[in-house]
Amino acid sequence: MNMAQKPSIPKGTRDFSPQEMLRRKYIFNTIERVFQKYGFLPLETPAMENLETLTGKYGEEGDRLIFKILKRGADLDRAVQEGSKSLAAEALRYDLTVPFARYVVQNQHEITFPFKRYQIQPVWRADRPQKGRYREFYQCDADVIGSKSLLNEVDLVLLIVEVFQALNLNVKIMVNNRKALFGFAQYLGVEDRAVEFITKLDKQDKIGDRIFDELLDEEFPASAVEKARMILSESILGDYESRVGRFDYLMELFVQNTNDLGREGLQEVRFVLDSIKPHLPRTGPGLTTEFNIALARGLDYYTGAIFEVKALEGSLQSSICGGGRYDDLTGIFGLKNMSGVGISFGADRIYDVLLETGKFPAELGGSTKLLFANFGEAEAMHCLRLLRTVREAGIPAELYPDAVKMAKQFKYADDKGIPYVAIIGENELKQGIVTVKDMKSGEQKAVEQDALIDLLR
Amino acid sequence: MNMAQKPSIPKGTRDFSPQEMLRRKYIFNTIERVFQKYGFLPLETPAMENLETLTGKYGEEGDRLIFKILKRGADLDRAVQEGSKSLAAEALRYDLTVPFARYVVQNQHEITFPFKRYQIQPVWRADRPQKGRYREFYQCDADVIGSKSLLNEVDLVLLIVEVFQALNLNVKIMVNNRKALFGFAQYLGVEDRAVEFITKLDKQDKIGDRIFDELLDEEFPASAVEKARMILSESILGDYESRVGRFDYLMELFVQNTNDLGREGLQEVRFVLDSIKPHLPRTGPGLTTEFNIALARGLDYYTGAIFEVKALEGSLQSSICGGGRYDDLTGIFGLKNMSGVGISFGADRIYDVLLETGKFPAELGGSTKLLFANFGEAEAMHCLRLLRTVREAGIPAELYPDAVKMAKQFKYADDKGIPYVAIIGENELKQGIVTVKDMKSGEQKAVEQDALIDLLR
């Protein structure tokens, strides 16, 4: 305490400055407003879960990445005897999905289903930090659990559309279905290695047609790989409308081969894409919605629809939103037959895209609009009254607290991005006026004090 | 993973259900809106800090209550050799003040001072959980750092007033000053035990005049205790206006005894209370602002003004907001002479008071206003269009996803607190109308579909 320390923060974590926070809030508030508009209600779970709640839910690698909390007064001697397990009984939230499943099972008798909840909270992973990958980051999830209706999928896609329209971002929304994927694997005769095959398909997005070589390298039958190549090799990422041919071709294949699973998957895709069509916006930023048979998303627990969103502006290649249907999320905690469907927005990535493409609004909500300059006690006391009036009109405003040089006060306004400075010196005080300086243009204008609010609006 | 676990959460932590979250958001949003109106900008720091950033900042007891993060792959053998210190290098945020100080020092060359920031984030303490005390809870802080002007104190008290007016809660705001307290200790001749004396004074609020016996028990001179009793013994919690006599009496004592410190403290109190007076609301819930020489607040680092707020409604005795001025918060990290003043709202306690006194608004923002009942696919498809129109009007609405019995759909609306259900069955579809059921009164009304939005407003 007495020694001055050079302060720093743990690697992989971040401070968010006011400037960054206003931008982040713009994203979170936009997403949250749309969540609420679609009937999702907020839920929050604790940062810590019992270690056993999390262990075994994210695979072996995931288990290693869970941040554990050291038990208070953890006893080394005991730890040596009982093993390192006795050091920790709690751990930090790794994602929002497992705590949500835990919450649903724990409160199943109080919850009315279908349960539509959203959750915007940080998660922690002891991952190796690198560009764009952090040890602490926010997830923004919305899920419906307890309903198998495809109308939930329809609503979620429309929700995604609305969020990116509100953020004024040109995006591509890709839709696929696990059943179609497994059906496809069946059709190719590789159903015994379906997960492996699907995982490879998902890479086409990144490595293109090299997936076919890799499939051969991994000893998938040459005939199956050839069939797959026929269907996927050219650019598979077309608009649903113009690609309806491929969809129909696949459907025909599945029908001919009485591949019920594949057919069902495609029918679900069609229902979702057809249902949203009349409700897509006619104006606003560009929007593409398309079927993509190669879209798989890594997570094992998806069983039906799969969604993924990519920005069509900026240089970011990875997805900025994704989701899908799962049939057994709560089974791990003993509650069976709870089908759900959910989506998750990648706020950090959306932030990067909006910043790169200059899509943040010029005036972000919540920042100060007017600074009253301080010319000394008498003037300041007078300003307090005006300050109150401006704030009562709902306009964020402040009075510079010290009567220092004007240059310093103007710099303060500039640095803080305050667009107007109100100057009430001796003259203005006598005449009952206020001089307002526009910090952008540098122009000054004297107005009656009563006219101040009109000027600001 | 394959074994069903009975799920639970760590003791001292809480899940917040949608119902609780909407109420919490009402409180946080109200506070945040006022913070922003007063020119404070948001800041967020990581949940984890380097252990050394936190250690030694909260006293010995505090050190024990810090949650430490187990190092990834923490090695027991090494721990046995090097001691348990090698088990953890990071810890969870214990409050928002130390991370704020750390942030200011770390970014001092980028920050424009005075720096006005607010921060609303959870903190963690390995405290013994009990009623009203949790291991994870939110703090809501606003601080100005880098200005000694008392106008900051004035602004913060006005901010507090505005928050509780907005929350419609009758409160008492008490103001004191550490200088007046130390001056008082000087006047009584107990300045060598000033902190001990002040800590005892602070208890009067809880144990009343028994503090005088305890002072005697702890061998404070009888003459000093008698003098203190003369000034404090009767109810000291009066309105500033009516207690101006006590304030003047103390001021006279300090002047007579050339007690400069005490005089300065009282002058500061007077400046703050006099300056806010013309700006206090004339309407709204009750509000008392008063000087209270016995108010000390525990934290050692306060050096000037002290604020504390108590609810005048409900049964809660403890404070719901507090703060004060500190002269050397960043000194611990090597940055000297940074005076600041801040306040902190106790959101959990405010929640309890609002719940007990029934002060939460009947309709909380963000909840669904209209449910479209589901009569089957054709009707549902038709509802999608109306649903879009309602949402476009900014009204949160949803379509029940499954065509189940009406009773179940009504129950869903009831449980979720949705005030209106729109019924579009075969008849309504033919006639182009919609039957709207008011869930509270049970009344049903048929309107043209175009009139639906007007009805909801």
Side-chain angles (χ1 to χ4, degrees):
Chain A
M1 177 128 187
N2 40 13
M3 202 186 59
Q5 302 159 344
K6 187 182 177 320
S8 64
I9 49 174
K11 64 179 176 176
T13 69
R14 295 166 288 175
D15 288 319
F16 296 109
S17 70
Q19 170 79 330
E20 291 165 314
M21 277 303 296
L22 290 178
R23 290 193 189 120
R24 285 171 68 84
K25 275 179 181 293
Y26 164 71
I27 296 173
F28 288 128
N29 290 345
T30 302
I31 294 173
E32 183 170 27
R33 202 178 56 240
V34 179
F35 279 168
Q36 292 182 344
K37 225 196 219 184
Y38 279 68
F40 290 85
L41 293 180
L43 173 76
E44 279 189 13
T45 61
M48 300 171 198
E49 293 279 348
N50 291 324
L51 186 52
E52 62 193 15
T53 300
L54 304 185
T55 308
K57 307 303 187 298
Y58 308 104
E60 264 179 59
E61 175 64 5
D63 277 356
R64 275 193 293 273
L65 300 184
I66 292 171
F67 273 113
K68 298 182 184 110
I69 313 254
L70 190 62
K71 266 191 205 171
R72 188 176 161 179
D75 191 317
L76 268 184
D77 293 339
R78 219 179 83 198
V80 170
Q81 282 173 10
E82 301 178 15
S84 55
K85 274 192 180 171
S86 68
L87 289 173
E90 291 158 8
L92 292 180
R93 187 166 54 217
Y94 183 88
D95 72 356
L96 302 180
T97 306
V98 169
F100 171 53
R102 191 265 309 145
Y103 176 85
V104 168
V105 176
Q106 198 177 331
N107 299 280
Q108 54 185 291
H109 302 299
E110 286 78 49
I111 294 172
T112 305
F113 295 97
F115 182 44
K116 295 173 76 170
R117 84 86 174 79
Y118 73 83
Q119 200 169 343
I120 301 178
Q121 291 193 280
V123 300
W124 296 271
R125 296 182 185 179
D127 228 330
R128 187 188 306 274
Q130 58 186 60
K131 189 178 164 0
R133 193 195 285 165
Y134 303 101
R135 292 188 154 188
E136 175 182 51
F137 58 96
Y138 272 73
Q139 291 191 333
C140 311
D141 288 13
D143 290 78
V144 192
I145 193 163
S147 164
K148 290 180 177 165
S149 165
L150 282 173
L151 284 172
N152 297 299
E153 275 84 338
V154 171
D155 218 31
L156 283 173
V157 176
L158 289 173
L159 186 159
I160 293 172
V161 169
E162 185 153 346
V163 165
F164 289 109
Q165 292 282 308
L167 293 173
N168 193 26
L169 196 65
N170 190 348
V171 296
K172 175 174 67 180
I173 304 177
M174 289 171 292
V175 178
N176 197 12
N177 194 292
R178 282 267 168 157
K179 294 176 198 167
L181 274 169
F182 281 104
F184 191 42
Q186 270 177 18
Y187 161 73
L188 298 174
V190 297
E191 63 267 37
D192 52 328
R193 296 173 68 189
V195 170
E196 213 182 324
F197 171 72
I198 289 169
T199 309
K200 189 64 73 183
L201 271 200
D202 206 28
K203 286 180 69 181
Q204 192 183 27
D205 191 32
K206 277 183 188 143
I207 64 168
D209 284 358
R210 273 190 288 139
I211 57 162
F212 303 113
D213 301 330
E214 292 194 2
L215 282 170
L216 289 172
D217 287 350
E218 288 171 23
E219 302 188 347
F220 278 89
S223 61
V225 175
E226 262 334 283
K227 273 192 196 167
R229 195 196 296 270
M230 292 282 287
I231 294 166
L232 301 177
S233 76
E234 49 180 70
S235 158
I236 58 153
L237 308 176
D239 181 80
Y240 168 64
E241 297 283 341
S242 67
R243 293 288 152 189
V244 81
R246 165 162 303 132
F247 181 91
D248 287 348
Y249 179 63
L250 268 173
M251 184 62 107
E252 223 177 281
L253 283 182
F254 290 155
V255 171
Q256 278 171 9
N257 292 273
T258 58
N259 187 323
D260 291 344
L261 191 64
R263 213 191 56 224
E264 196 184 324
L266 287 186
Q267 277 166 343
E268 290 189 12
V269 169
R270 180 144 62 193
F271 179 83
V272 172
L273 289 174
D274 284 353
S275 300
I276 62 168
K277 217 168 129 188
H279 307 292
L280 296 180
R282 306 264 169 269
T283 56
L287 173 69
T288 308
T289 53
E290 66 182 28
F291 163 62
N292 180 357
I293 187 66
L295 175 70
R297 290 189 65 75
L299 292 169
D300 284 349
Y301 57 72
Y302 290 133
T303 50
I306 310 172
F307 316 117
E308 192 163 289
V309 183
K310 295 201 168 179
L312 292 177
E313 305 175 76
S315 59
L316 186 82
Q317 292 303 311
S318 39
S319 73
I320 53 179
C321 175
R325 177 171 288 275
Y326 40 84
D327 276 342
D328 188 27
L329 196 68
T330 54
I332 45 175
F333 298 113
L335 183 62
K336 301 285 178 196
N337 298 319
M338 266 291 170
S339 187
V341 54
I343 51 166
S344 182
F345 288 89
D348 283 306
R349 289 174 178 176
I350 293 172
Y351 183 99
D352 290 343
V353 175
L354 294 182
L355 197 63
E356 182 190 358
T357 57
K359 289 289 181 93
F360 279 111
E363 281 216 9
L364 288 163
S367 57
T368 310
K369 295 290 170 286
L370 179 70
L371 174 73
F372 285 90
N374 189 326
F375 284 86
E377 194 169 319
E379 290 89 347
M381 283 297 131
H382 181 82
C383 286
L384 279 184
R385 188 185 62 77
L386 272 175
L387 180 60
R388 173 165 52 105
T389 317
V390 173
R391 285 176 179 163
E392 275 170 2
I395 301 167
E398 57 185 292
L399 165 63
Y400 196 90
D402 302 277
V404 296
K405 279 184 195 151
M406 266 311 101
K408 194 171 175 189
Q409 301 191 39
F410 284 134
K411 184 181 182 308
Y412 175 85
D414 245 353
D415 288 350
K416 206 168 165 175
I418 302 175
Y420 297 100
V421 175
I423 297 161
I424 304 182
E426 210 178 325
N427 269 340
E428 282 87 356
L429 210 53
K430 263 186 217 151
Q431 300 174 47
I433 58 167
V434 50
T435 303
V436 179
K437 179 169 178 170
D438 181 326
M439 293 302 288
K440 211 165 192 177
S441 67
E443 274 171 39
Q444 295 198 170
K445 197 173 172 181
V447 296
E448 298 290 316
Q449 293 183 0
D450 292 342
L452 182 58
I453 288 165
D454 287 337
L455 183 78
L456 292 171
R457 275 188 179 141
Chain B
M1 178 129 186
N2 39 13
M3 202 186 59
Q5 301 158 346
K6 189 181 176 326
S8 65
I9 50 174
K11 62 178 177 177
T13 69
R14 294 165 288 174
D15 287 320
F16 295 110
S17 70
Q19 169 79 327
E20 291 166 313
M21 278 302 298
L22 289 178
R23 291 193 189 122
R24 285 172 68 84
K25 274 179 180 291
Y26 164 72
I27 295 172
F28 287 129
N29 290 345
T30 301
I31 294 172
E32 182 169 30
R33 202 178 56 239
V34 179
F35 280 167
Q36 291 183 344
K37 224 196 218 186
Y38 278 69
F40 290 86
L41 293 181
L43 174 75
E44 279 190 12
T45 61
M48 302 171 196
E49 293 278 349
N50 290 322
L51 186 52
E52 60 193 15
T53 300
L54 304 185
T55 308
K57 308 302 187 299
Y58 307 104
E60 262 178 61
E61 175 64 4
D63 277 356
R64 274 193 293 272
L65 300 185
I66 292 171
F67 273 114
K68 297 182 186 111
I69 313 259
L70 190 62
K71 264 191 207 172
R72 187 176 160 177
D75 190 318
L76 266 184
D77 294 338
R78 219 180 82 199
V80 170
Q81 284 174 9
E82 300 177 15
S84 56
K85 273 190 180 169
S86 68
L87 289 173
E90 292 158 7
L92 291 180
R93 187 165 57 218
Y94 183 87
D95 73 357
L96 302 179
T97 307
V98 168
F100 172 53
R102 191 265 311 145
Y103 177 86
V104 167
V105 176
Q106 196 177 333
N107 299 281
Q108 54 185 289
H109 303 299
E110 286 77 49
I111 294 172
T112 305
F113 293 98
F115 182 45
K116 295 173 75 170
R117 84 86 175 79
Y118 72 83
Q119 201 168 344
I120 301 178
Q121 290 191 279
V123 300
W124 296 270
R125 295 181 186 180
D127 228 330
R128 187 188 306 272
Q130 58 186 61
K131 189 179 163 0
R133 194 196 282 165
Y134 303 101
R135 292 188 154 187
E136 175 181 52
F137 57 96
Y138 271 74
Q139 292 192 332
C140 311
D141 289 14
D143 289 79
V144 192
I145 192 162
S147 166
K148 290 180 177 165
S149 166
L150 282 173
L151 286 172
N152 297 301
E153 275 84 339
V154 172
D155 219 31
L156 282 173
V157 176
L158 289 173
L159 187 159
I160 293 171
V161 169
E162 186 154 345
V163 164
F164 289 109
Q165 292 283 307
L167 292 174
N168 194 25
L169 197 66
N170 189 348
V171 296
K172 174 174 69 178
I173 303 176
M174 290 170 290
V175 178
N176 197 12
N177 194 292
R178 281 268 165 156
K179 296 175 196 167
L181 275 168
F182 281 103
F184 190 44
Q186 271 178 17
Y187 161 74
L188 298 175
V190 297
E191 62 268 38
D192 51 329
R193 295 174 67 188
V195 170
E196 214 181 324
F197 171 72
I198 289 169
T199 309
K200 189 64 73 185
L201 271 200
D202 205 27
K203 286 179 68 181
Q204 192 183 28
D205 191 30
K206 278 184 188 146
I207 64 167
D209 283 1
R210 273 191 287 142
I211 58 162
F212 303 114
D213 300 330
E214 292 195 1
L215 282 169
L216 289 172
D217 288 349
E218 289 170 22
E219 300 189 348
F220 278 88
S223 61
V225 177
E226 263 334 285
K227 273 193 198 169
R229 197 194 297 269
M230 293 281 289
I231 294 165
L232 301 178
S233 76
E234 50 181 66
S235 160
I236 59 155
L237 306 176
D239 182 77
Y240 168 64
E241 298 283 342
S242 67
R243 293 289 153 187
V244 81
R246 167 163 302 134
F247 182 92
D248 287 348
Y249 179 63
L250 266 173
M251 184 62 108
E252 222 177 281
L253 284 181
F254 289 155
V255 170
Q256 277 170 11
N257 293 273
T258 59
N259 186 323
D260 291 343
L261 191 65
R263 213 191 56 225
E264 199 184 321
L266 287 186
Q267 277 166 344
E268 290 189 10
V269 169
R270 180 141 63 193
F271 180 84
V272 172
L273 289 174
D274 284 354
S275 300
I276 63 167
K277 217 167 128 186
H279 307 292
L280 295 181
R282 307 264 170 270
T283 56
L287 173 69
T288 309
T289 55
E290 67 180 29
F291 163 63
N292 178 358
I293 187 65
L295 175 71
R297 289 187 66 74
L299 291 169
D300 285 348
Y301 57 70
Y302 289 133
T303 51
I306 309 172
F307 316 116
E308 193 163 288
V309 182
K310 295 199 171 182
L312 293 177
E313 305 174 76
S315 59
L316 187 82
Q317 292 302 311
S318 40
S319 72
I320 53 177
C321 175
R325 177 171 288 276
Y326 40 84
D327 277 341
D328 189 26
L329 194 68
T330 55
I332 44 173
F333 298 114
L335 182 62
K336 302 283 179 198
N337 298 317
M338 266 290 169
S339 187
V341 55
I343 52 168
S344 184
F345 288 88
D348 283 306
R349 288 173 178 178
I350 293 172
Y351 183 100
D352 289 343
V353 175
L354 293 183
L355 197 63
E356 183 190 356
T357 57
K359 290 287 181 95
F360 279 110
E363 280 216 10
L364 288 163
S367 57
T368 310
K369 296 289 169 288
L370 180 69
L371 173 73
F372 285 90
N374 189 328
F375 285 86
E377 194 167 319
E379 290 88 348
M381 283 297 131
H382 181 83
C383 286
L384 279 182
R385 187 185 63 76
L386 272 176
L387 180 60
R388 172 164 54 104
T389 317
V390 172
R391 285 175 178 163
E392 274 170 2
I395 301 167
E398 57 186 290
L399 164 63
Y400 196 89
D402 302 277
V404 295
K405 278 185 197 150
M406 267 310 102
K408 194 170 176 190
Q409 300 192 39
F410 283 134
K411 183 180 183 308
Y412 175 84
D414 243 353
D415 288 350
K416 206 169 167 177
I418 302 176
Y420 297 100
V421 175
I423 297 162
I424 305 182
E426 211 179 325
N427 268 341
E428 282 87 357
L429 209 56
K430 264 187 218 152
Q431 302 175 44
I433 58 166
V434 50
T435 302
V436 179
K437 177 169 180 172
D438 181 328
M439 292 302 289
K440 213 167 190 175
S441 67
E443 276 170 37
Q444 294 199 170
K445 199 173 169 181
V447 296
E448 299 288 315
Q449 294 184 359
D450 293 342
L452 182 58
I453 289 164
D454 287 336
L455 182 79
L456 292 171
R457 276 189 178 138

